[in-house]
Protein backbone atom coordinates (compact mmCIF):
# COMPACT_ATOMS: atom_id res chain seq x y z
CA UNK A 1 0.00 0.00 0.00
CA UNK A 2 1.42 3.39 -0.99
CA UNK A 3 0.51 6.50 0.96
CA UNK A 4 0.87 10.00 -0.45
CA UNK A 5 1.69 13.28 1.20
CA UNK A 6 3.57 11.89 4.19
CA UNK A 7 6.67 13.41 5.78
CA UNK A 8 9.94 11.67 6.64
CA UNK A 9 11.15 14.54 8.87
CA UNK A 10 11.90 14.06 12.53
CA UNK A 11 10.78 17.43 13.87
CA UNK A 12 8.48 18.35 16.71
CA UNK A 13 5.28 16.87 15.29
CA UNK A 14 6.98 13.58 14.47
CA UNK A 15 8.38 13.46 18.01
CA UNK A 16 4.82 13.45 19.42
CA UNK A 17 3.69 10.93 16.78
CA UNK A 18 1.55 13.33 14.74
CA UNK A 19 3.74 12.93 11.69
CA UNK A 20 1.48 14.46 9.06
CA UNK A 21 1.40 17.82 10.85
CA UNK A 22 5.05 18.27 9.85
CA UNK A 23 3.62 18.94 6.39
CA UNK A 24 0.03 20.01 7.03
CA UNK A 25 0.16 22.33 10.06
CA UNK A 26 -0.12 25.39 7.75
CA UNK A 27 -3.41 23.98 6.41
CA UNK A 28 -4.69 23.57 9.97
CA UNK A 29 -3.71 27.13 11.01
CA UNK A 30 -4.96 28.59 7.73
CA UNK A 31 -8.31 26.88 8.25
CA UNK A 32 -8.68 28.38 11.73
CA UNK A 33 -7.83 31.85 10.42
CA UNK A 34 -10.25 31.45 7.51
CA UNK A 35 -13.02 30.57 9.98
CA UNK A 36 -12.48 33.82 11.88
CA UNK A 37 -12.40 35.82 8.64
CA UNK A 38 -15.70 34.28 7.52
CA UNK A 39 -17.28 34.91 10.93
CA UNK A 40 -16.12 38.53 11.08
CA UNK A 41 -17.04 39.43 7.51
CA UNK A 42 -20.48 37.80 7.74
CA UNK A 43 -21.26 39.57 11.03
CA UNK A 44 -20.21 42.97 9.67
CA UNK A 45 -22.23 42.48 6.51
CA UNK A 46 -25.28 41.48 8.53
CA UNK A 47 -24.82 44.44 10.88
CA UNK A 48 -24.81 46.94 8.02
CA UNK A 49 -27.62 45.36 6.01
CA UNK A 50 -30.08 43.84 8.50
CA UNK A 51 -32.07 45.57 11.23
CA UNK A 52 -33.09 42.11 12.44
CA UNK A 53 -29.44 41.22 13.09
CA UNK A 54 -28.82 44.48 14.93
CA UNK A 55 -31.74 43.61 17.20
CA UNK A 56 -30.33 40.23 18.21
CA UNK A 57 -29.04 39.60 21.71
CA UNK A 58 -25.33 39.20 22.37
CA UNK A 59 -25.78 35.43 22.64
CA UNK A 60 -27.65 35.24 19.32
CA UNK A 61 -25.01 37.37 17.58
CA UNK A 62 -22.41 34.90 18.83
CA UNK A 63 -24.54 32.01 17.57
CA UNK A 64 -24.83 33.78 14.20
CA UNK A 65 -21.06 33.75 13.76
CA UNK A 66 -20.84 30.11 14.82
CA UNK A 67 -23.63 28.96 12.52
CA UNK A 68 -22.36 30.83 9.47
CA UNK A 69 -18.91 29.27 9.83
CA UNK A 70 -20.45 25.87 10.62
CA UNK A 71 -22.58 26.13 7.47
CA UNK A 72 -19.55 26.89 5.27
CA UNK A 73 -17.45 24.18 6.91
CA UNK A 74 -20.18 21.53 6.60
CA UNK A 75 -20.74 22.28 2.91
CA UNK A 76 -17.01 22.11 2.19
CA UNK A 77 -16.13 18.96 4.12
CA UNK A 78 -19.22 17.04 3.00
CA UNK A 79 -18.30 17.67 -0.63
CA UNK A 80 -14.62 16.86 -0.02
CA UNK A 81 -15.38 13.64 1.88
CA UNK A 82 -17.33 11.92 -0.89
CA UNK A 83 -14.33 11.13 -3.18
CA UNK A 84 -12.61 9.39 -0.26
CA UNK A 85 -15.65 7.21 0.44
CA UNK A 86 -15.82 5.94 -3.16
CA UNK A 87 -12.05 5.48 -3.56
CA UNK A 88 -11.32 1.71 -3.85
CA UNK A 89 -7.92 2.17 -2.18
CA UNK A 90 -9.54 3.62 0.95
CA UNK A 91 -12.26 0.98 0.92
CA UNK A 92 -9.59 -1.73 0.80
CA UNK A 93 -7.50 -0.15 3.59
CA UNK A 94 -9.76 2.11 5.70
CA UNK A 95 -7.50 2.29 8.77
CA UNK A 96 -3.97 3.06 7.54
CA UNK A 97 -4.50 4.55 4.09
CA UNK A 98 -4.06 8.28 3.59
CA UNK A 99 -3.33 10.70 0.75
CA UNK A 100 -2.42 14.36 0.38
CA UNK A 101 -6.10 15.04 -0.30
CA UNK A 102 -7.37 13.27 2.83
CA UNK A 103 -4.68 14.92 4.98
CA UNK A 104 -5.77 18.35 3.73
CA UNK A 105 -9.43 17.56 4.44
CA UNK A 106 -8.82 16.46 8.03
CA UNK A 107 -6.40 19.33 8.67
CA UNK A 108 -9.11 21.77 7.56
CA UNK A 109 -11.51 20.15 10.00
CA UNK A 110 -8.95 20.31 12.83
CA UNK A 111 -8.51 24.02 12.11
CA UNK A 112 -12.26 24.54 12.26
CA UNK A 113 -12.52 22.86 15.65
CA UNK A 114 -9.56 24.85 17.01
CA UNK A 115 -11.42 28.02 16.04
CA UNK A 116 -14.68 26.66 17.45
CA UNK A 117 -13.02 25.82 20.77
CA UNK A 118 -11.22 29.16 21.14
CA UNK A 119 -14.26 31.28 20.25
CA UNK A 120 -16.51 29.20 22.52
CA UNK A 121 -14.02 29.62 25.39
CA UNK A 122 -14.08 33.40 24.87
CA UNK A 123 -17.87 33.31 25.23
CA UNK A 124 -18.07 30.75 28.03
CA UNK A 125 -19.82 33.24 30.32
CA UNK A 126 -22.65 33.50 27.76
CA UNK A 127 -23.07 29.90 26.59
CA UNK A 128 -21.45 27.84 29.33
CA UNK A 129 -18.76 25.15 29.00
CA UNK A 130 -20.70 22.69 26.84
CA UNK A 131 -19.62 24.12 23.48
CA UNK A 132 -15.99 24.30 24.63
CA UNK A 133 -16.02 20.64 25.61
CA UNK A 134 -17.69 19.70 22.30
CA UNK A 135 -15.19 21.64 20.19
CA UNK A 136 -12.16 20.37 22.08
CA UNK A 137 -13.35 16.76 21.96
CA UNK A 138 -13.92 16.90 18.21
CA UNK A 139 -10.53 18.56 17.69
CA UNK A 140 -8.73 15.78 19.60
CA UNK A 141 -10.58 13.05 17.70
CA UNK A 142 -9.58 14.48 14.32
CA UNK A 143 -6.10 15.48 15.50
CA UNK A 144 -4.97 11.88 15.81
CA UNK A 145 -5.67 11.31 12.12
CA UNK A 146 -2.23 12.95 11.75
CA UNK A 147 -0.47 9.81 13.10
CA UNK A 148 -1.74 8.95 10.33
CA UNK A 149 -4.82 6.83 11.04
CA UNK A 150 -8.52 6.58 10.19
CA UNK A 151 -8.64 8.94 7.20
CA UNK A 152 -11.43 6.92 5.62
CA UNK A 153 -13.50 6.98 8.80
CA UNK A 154 -12.74 10.67 9.23
CA UNK A 155 -14.50 11.19 5.90
CA UNK A 156 -17.33 8.90 7.02
CA UNK A 157 -18.03 10.97 10.13
CA UNK A 158 -17.76 14.23 8.21
CA UNK A 159 -20.60 13.03 5.98
CA UNK A 160 -22.78 13.37 9.08
CA UNK A 161 -22.56 17.10 8.38
CA UNK A 162 -24.85 16.77 5.36
CA UNK A 163 -27.87 17.92 7.37
CA UNK A 164 -26.06 20.84 9.04
CA UNK A 165 -26.43 23.44 6.23
CA UNK A 166 -30.21 23.06 6.23
CA UNK A 167 -30.40 23.18 10.03
CA UNK A 168 -28.26 26.32 10.19
CA UNK A 169 -30.14 27.95 7.31
CA UNK A 170 -33.38 27.36 9.24
CA UNK A 171 -31.93 29.11 12.31
CA UNK A 172 -30.47 32.05 10.37
CA UNK A 173 -33.61 32.71 8.33
CA UNK A 174 -35.73 32.48 11.48
CA UNK A 175 -33.60 35.08 13.27
CA UNK A 176 -33.77 37.34 10.21
CA UNK A 177 -37.56 37.07 10.23
CA UNK A 178 -37.74 35.86 6.64
CA UNK A 179 -38.58 32.18 7.11
CA UNK A 180 -42.07 31.64 5.72
CA UNK A 181 -44.22 28.60 6.62
CA UNK A 182 -43.60 26.82 3.30
CA UNK A 183 -39.82 27.24 3.38
CA UNK A 184 -39.83 26.27 7.07
CA UNK A 185 -41.60 22.99 6.27
CA UNK A 186 -39.22 22.28 3.39
CA UNK A 187 -36.11 22.87 5.52
CA UNK A 188 -37.47 20.79 8.40
CA UNK A 189 -38.27 17.93 6.03
CA UNK A 190 -34.78 18.09 4.46
CA UNK A 191 -33.07 18.09 7.87
CA UNK A 192 -35.13 15.12 9.02
CA UNK A 193 -34.67 13.03 5.86
CA UNK A 194 -30.96 13.75 5.41
CA UNK A 195 -30.29 13.22 9.12
CA UNK A 196 -31.96 9.81 8.91
CA UNK A 197 -30.02 8.63 5.86
CA UNK A 198 -26.64 10.21 6.71
CA UNK A 199 -26.48 9.72 10.48
CA UNK A 200 -28.79 6.81 11.24
CA UNK A 201 -28.66 4.39 8.29
CA UNK A 202 -25.22 5.26 6.91
CA UNK A 203 -23.79 6.10 10.33
CA UNK A 204 -24.81 2.92 12.12
CA UNK A 205 -23.71 0.75 9.18
CA UNK A 206 -20.28 2.40 9.10
CA UNK A 207 -19.95 2.09 12.87
CA UNK A 208 -20.30 -1.69 12.66
CA UNK A 209 -17.78 -1.68 9.80
CA UNK A 210 -15.40 0.38 11.93
CA UNK A 211 -15.26 -2.18 14.73
CA UNK A 212 -14.59 -4.98 12.26
CA UNK A 213 -11.81 -3.03 10.55
CA UNK A 214 -10.20 -2.08 13.88
CA UNK A 215 -10.20 -5.72 14.92
CA UNK A 216 -8.41 -6.66 11.69
CA UNK A 217 -5.70 -4.01 12.25
CA UNK A 218 -5.51 -4.28 16.03
CA UNK A 219 -1.71 -4.64 16.12
CA UNK A 220 -1.20 -1.46 14.07
CA UNK A 221 -3.19 0.96 16.26
CA UNK A 222 -2.18 2.33 19.69
CA UNK A 223 -4.53 1.03 22.37
CA UNK A 224 -5.50 4.46 23.72
CA UNK A 225 -6.54 5.58 20.23
CA UNK A 226 -8.69 2.47 19.79
CA UNK A 227 -10.37 3.23 23.11
CA UNK A 228 -10.84 6.95 22.33
CA UNK A 229 -12.25 6.41 18.84
CA UNK A 230 -14.47 3.54 19.95
CA UNK A 231 -15.96 5.61 22.78
CA UNK A 232 -16.45 8.54 20.40
CA UNK A 233 -18.13 6.19 17.93
CA UNK A 234 -20.61 4.86 20.49
CA UNK A 235 -21.31 8.28 22.03
CA UNK A 236 -21.86 9.97 18.66
CA UNK A 237 -24.22 7.30 17.41
CA UNK A 238 -26.12 7.33 20.68
CA UNK A 239 -26.50 11.11 20.37
CA UNK A 240 -27.64 10.73 16.76
CA UNK A 241 -30.35 8.29 17.82
CA UNK A 242 -31.39 10.58 20.68
CA UNK A 243 -31.55 13.66 18.41
CA UNK A 244 -33.47 11.74 15.77
CA UNK A 245 -36.01 10.67 18.40
CA UNK A 246 -36.35 14.30 19.56
CA UNK A 247 -36.84 15.50 15.97
CA UNK A 248 -39.47 12.84 15.39
CA UNK A 249 -41.37 13.87 18.52
CA UNK A 250 -41.14 17.53 17.49
CA UNK A 251 -42.58 16.79 14.06
CA UNK A 252 -45.34 14.62 15.52
CA UNK A 253 -46.34 17.36 17.96
CA UNK A 254 -46.24 19.92 15.15
CA UNK A 255 -48.43 17.76 12.96
CA UNK A 256 -51.00 17.30 15.74
CA UNK A 257 -50.97 21.04 16.43
CA UNK A 258 -51.58 21.86 12.75
CA UNK A 259 -54.48 19.40 12.58
CA UNK A 260 -56.01 20.91 15.73
CA UNK A 261 -55.76 24.43 14.27
CA UNK A 262 -57.40 23.36 11.01
CA UNK A 263 -60.18 21.61 12.90
CA UNK A 264 -60.76 24.73 15.04
CA UNK A 265 -61.01 26.90 11.92
CA UNK A 266 -63.56 24.54 10.36
CA UNK A 267 -65.68 24.59 13.51
Amino acid sequence: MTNEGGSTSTGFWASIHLTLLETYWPVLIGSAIACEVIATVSARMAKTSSAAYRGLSRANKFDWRMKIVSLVHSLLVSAMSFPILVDPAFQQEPILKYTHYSACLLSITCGYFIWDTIVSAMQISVNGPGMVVHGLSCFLVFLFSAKPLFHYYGAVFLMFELSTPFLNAHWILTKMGILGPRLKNILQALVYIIFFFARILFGLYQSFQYFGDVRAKWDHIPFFIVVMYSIANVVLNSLNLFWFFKMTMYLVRGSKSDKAEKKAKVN
Side-chain angles (χ1 to χ4, degrees):
M1 178 188 68
T2 302
N3 285 320
E4 306 165 11
S7 172
T8 57
S9 62
T10 57
F12 168 74
W13 295 111
S15 70
I16 60 173
H17 307 289
L18 296 174
T19 310
L20 291 188
L21 287 182
E22 293 285 346
T23 301
Y24 296 100
W25 70 263
V27 179
L28 188 155
I29 299 300
S31 172
I33 293 172
C35 288
E36 181 58 24
V37 170
I38 292 168
T40 301
V41 170
S42 67
R44 289 183 178 177
M45 290 177 63
K47 183 177 180 180
T48 58
S49 62
S50 172
Y53 176 85
R54 293 191 292 272
L56 294 177
S57 66
R58 178 188 171 190
N60 280 333
K61 287 179 179 177
F62 169 75
D63 287 341
W64 169 280
R65 291 166 53 91
M66 301 295 284
K67 290 185 183 299
I68 288 289
V69 177
S70 171
L71 189 153
V72 174
H73 172 259
S74 60
L75 286 172
L76 176 64
V77 299
S78 297
M80 289 184 67
S81 294
F82 185 74
I84 295 174
L85 299 182
V86 298
D87 186 332
F90 276 102
Q91 293 173 353
Q92 183 178 1
E93 178 46 86
I95 303 296
L96 303 177
K97 172 69 179 176
Y98 68 94
T99 62
H100 170 71
Y101 181 87
S102 67
C104 284
L105 168 62
L106 298 180
S107 297
I108 288 170
T109 294
C110 280
Y112 165 73
F113 282 116
I114 284 180
W115 173 85
D116 182 87
T117 302
I118 293 172
V119 174
S120 296
M122 292 171 64
Q123 296 289 327
I124 197 168
S125 62
V126 178
N127 292 284
M131 294 183 68
V132 178
V133 173
H134 172 267
L136 183 60
S137 299
C138 292
F139 167 68
L140 291 174
V141 166
F142 281 100
L143 178 67
F144 285 102
S145 67
K147 284 193 69 66
L149 286 169
F150 295 119
H151 283 217
Y152 175 80
Y153 283 106
V156 165
F157 288 119
L158 287 175
M159 290 298 285
F160 288 5
E161 295 296 316
L162 280 171
S163 60
T164 300
F166 303 100
L167 185 63
N168 287 355
H170 184 285
W171 186 94
I172 292 166
L173 294 174
T174 298
K175 295 303 180 184
M176 294 298 98
I178 55 177
L179 183 65
R182 184 175 182 181
L183 181 56
K184 177 181 178 180
N185 290 335
I186 291 172
L187 288 174
Q188 286 181 343
L190 287 171
V191 170
Y192 187 79
I193 293 168
I194 295 172
F195 192 101
F196 175 72
F197 281 101
R199 295 198 178 213
I200 305 302
L201 289 185
F202 177 74
L204 290 176
Y205 170 77
Q206 289 292 348
S207 292
F208 284 113
Q209 293 291 109
Y210 159 84
F211 285 108
D213 290 334
V214 166
R215 183 178 179 182
K217 293 291 182 179
W218 183 263
D219 294 337
H220 296 80
I221 314 170
F223 178 72
F224 83 95
I225 291 184
V226 172
V227 172
M228 181 177 69
Y229 275 67
S230 297
I231 291 173
N233 193 323
V234 172
V235 170
L236 182 56
N237 280 286
S238 298
L239 286 172
N240 285 339
L241 290 169
F242 173 74
W243 289 331
F244 185 71
F245 172 77
K246 297 286 285 186
M247 285 193 294
T248 302
M249 292 299 99
Y250 173 81
L251 292 176
V252 169
R253 286 195 300 268
S255 177
K256 289 181 178 179
S257 176
D258 290 342
K259 289 179 181 179
E261 288 180 6
K262 290 179 181 179
K263 185 176 181 180
K265 289 180 181 180
V266 170
N267 294 336

